[in-house]
Amino acid sequence: MEIDLGKIEANARYLVRRLCACRISVTGVTKAVCGHPDIAEAMLDGGVAGLADARIKNVIRMRKAGITCPISMIRAPMLSEMEDVIQYCDASYNTEMDTILKLGAAAKQQSTSHDVILMVEMGDMREGILPENLTDFATRVTATAGVALKGIAANFACMSNVAPMGGDMVRLSRLAAQVERGCGPFVELVSGGGSANLPWALGENSSGRVNNLRLGEAILLGTDPVTGQPIAGLHTDAFALFAEVIETKAKPRAIPTKSAASELGNLKLVRNDDGKARAILSIGQQDTDTSGLTFPSGVLFIGATSDHTVVDSTNSAVSVGSEMKIGLNYSALMRAMSAPDVVKAIRGKQRMNGSARDGETRPFLALI
């Protein structure tokens, strides 16, 4: 994986500048890159107000690398990780009172206070407190020692893949005011969602009380999560995957075989290409989401197994030992960044401690 830190920083800076005009701050989400410290630092250099991740090990990785900015846990903390969440995270997004009580107890043990942001269910059907229960829930949080109610948030376009609308943001703003009337404390943070919210945020509508977005895909890949289309003004090639070609051959029609189980006869890894050239790449489902890869012009995806990806290379001259440059969507990026066998080669300044291994570069072979 070749990673261009300059393009990530530029994407962050562009979005921070555009959203600042709307009075919306940006939280950089690092979960897709496993909390890679150099990438996190590039987001910070681009002006994001803080970072957020879904896994405590990623947060610990960033803290040990010397990152001191505010970091939030955006997946509800597990009861088994309370102490680490209090120690390493400034805030966490929550939906369960039992979890918040445990956070408060852990915070008291560490003689500190932990900020709580309440996730509201607004149609994505993943996590969230029902809107009609929000004020009562918030009142209980304000009465819990060791935690402080910092804000409310919503999530869109993850489970439902439906983009949020202006009316959703109006409802969220009203819920913030409702919570304030019901339990007193000012709702400092109203986080409207993630990269799917950008068409709304950069449109003509007023932002209301919404003053934060949590951006991962837009900063990293420059794409809209709902449509998959590039976002104007952003780099879409900050990440590139390189896979070595390990075989190139023209394959005949599949040889007919008999199967004892008729169901197996319907399972086909690759289509019949009758002599077309095929190349096999040294990457597979263990390394990335192969359905989320974009191949060079003239190369067509045929199929993949755990360790192999097969492409039609009839219209693209490739040779054994050469490397093919491949684009990734968010799912493919996330899988590749977490795969231990995928080397992460950094381009650009590297300042974080403990990232030397990931920052090692290697000479690329002929790029297709």
Side-chain angles (χ1 to χ4, degrees):
M1 179 83 76
E2 189 177 55
I3 304 164
D4 190 322
L5 297 180
K7 291 179 179 178
I8 295 169
E9 179 182 338
N11 282 354
R13 180 174 289 109
Y14 177 86
L15 290 167
V16 167
R17 178 177 59 81
R18 291 288 307 276
L19 291 169
C20 181
C22 308
R23 299 181 181 178
I24 296 175
S25 67
V26 174
T27 298
V29 179
T30 55
K31 63 180 181 178
V33 294
C34 302
H36 193 295
D38 288 316
I39 297 173
E41 185 69 12
M43 290 184 175
L44 291 168
D45 287 344
V48 301
L51 301 171
D53 209 293
R55 304 197 179 220
I56 192 62
K57 68 177 183 179
N58 296 342
V59 177
I60 293 173
R61 179 186 186 188
M62 291 188 283
R63 291 301 194 203
K64 288 186 174 179
I67 292 177
T68 59
C69 74
I71 301 180
S72 300
M73 175 67 66
I74 53 173
R75 183 174 72 179
M78 294 185 286
L79 297 184
S80 58
E81 59 188 18
M82 292 291 104
E83 290 75 15
D84 284 341
V85 170
I86 297 301
Q87 181 177 351
Y88 296 106
C89 299
D90 300 88
S92 60
Y93 290 68
N94 288 271
T95 63
E96 290 288 341
M97 200 62 218
D98 286 347
T99 302
I100 294 171
L101 292 171
K102 293 284 186 182
L103 285 169
K108 287 171 61 180
Q109 271 193 330
Q110 296 184 32
S111 301
T112 188
S113 179
H114 183 76
D115 286 337
V116 166
I117 301 156
L118 300 180
M119 289 293 290
V120 188
E121 173 56 69
M122 296 193 66
D124 191 55
M125 301 306 289
R126 197 175 71 179
E127 78 274 40
I129 302 161
L130 294 177
E132 57 266 31
N133 299 332
L134 181 61
T135 299
D136 289 343
F137 197 104
T139 301
R140 294 180 65 190
V141 173
T142 58
T144 301
V147 298
L149 178 62
K150 182 176 183 179
I152 64 173
N155 192 61
F156 297 93
C158 285
M159 288 289 288
S160 68
N161 202 38
V162 176
M165 306 297 288
D168 297 316
M169 300 299 103
V170 170
R171 287 174 56 215
L172 190 61
S173 296
R174 289 173 178 167
L175 286 171
Q178 178 182 308
V179 167
E180 289 170 345
R181 289 194 301 270
C183 61
F186 174 68
V187 177
E188 177 184 340
L189 184 79
V190 182
S191 186
S195 297
N197 290 64
L198 286 173
W200 160 79
L202 299 177
E204 299 290 329
N205 298 323
S206 168
S207 59
R209 290 287 302 271
V210 176
N211 59 11
N212 174 263
L213 291 181
R214 312 178 301 277
L215 303 183
E217 183 168 346
I219 294 175
L220 298 170
L221 296 177
T223 52
D224 183 317
V226 177
T227 65
Q229 295 300 308
I231 298 172
L234 299 182
H235 296 283
T236 58
D237 58 350
F239 295 83
L241 188 62
F242 291 83
E244 187 171 335
V245 178
I246 58 174
E247 178 185 302
T248 58
K249 281 183 172 56
K251 299 284 186 174
R253 286 185 179 274
I255 301 172
T257 60
K258 293 182 178 180
S259 172
S262 59
E263 292 82 0
L264 295 179
N266 296 323
L267 297 178
K268 294 180 181 178
L269 170 63
V270 296
R271 62 180 181 264
N272 296 333
D273 283 332
D274 194 19
K276 288 186 178 180
R278 287 180 179 168
I280 298 179
L281 308 178
S282 59
I283 196 166
Q285 298 286 12
Q286 285 194 81
D287 308 296
T288 188
D289 178 359
T290 55
S291 67
L293 301 179
T294 302
F295 294 91
S297 177
V299 177
L300 300 176
F301 175 74
I302 295 177
T305 57
S306 58
D307 302 296
H308 302 76
T309 295
V310 182
V311 296
D312 180 338
S313 57
T314 304
N315 297 317
S316 178
V318 297
S319 58
V320 172
S322 65
E323 287 189 334
M324 188 175 291
K325 183 178 181 180
I326 305 166
L328 311 92
N329 69 6
Y330 190 79
S331 176
L333 171 67
M334 178 177 57
R335 288 263 294 275
M337 288 299 296
S338 63
D341 291 331
V342 176
V343 175
K344 284 74 179 179
I346 300 292
R347 175 187 293 173
K349 57 187 175 182
Q350 302 162 55
R351 301 188 306 185
M352 293 289 93
N353 297 324
S355 62
R357 183 178 177 186
D358 279 339
E360 288 175 355
T361 59
R362 60 191 176 92
F364 291 110
L365 304 175
L367 305 184
I368 305 299

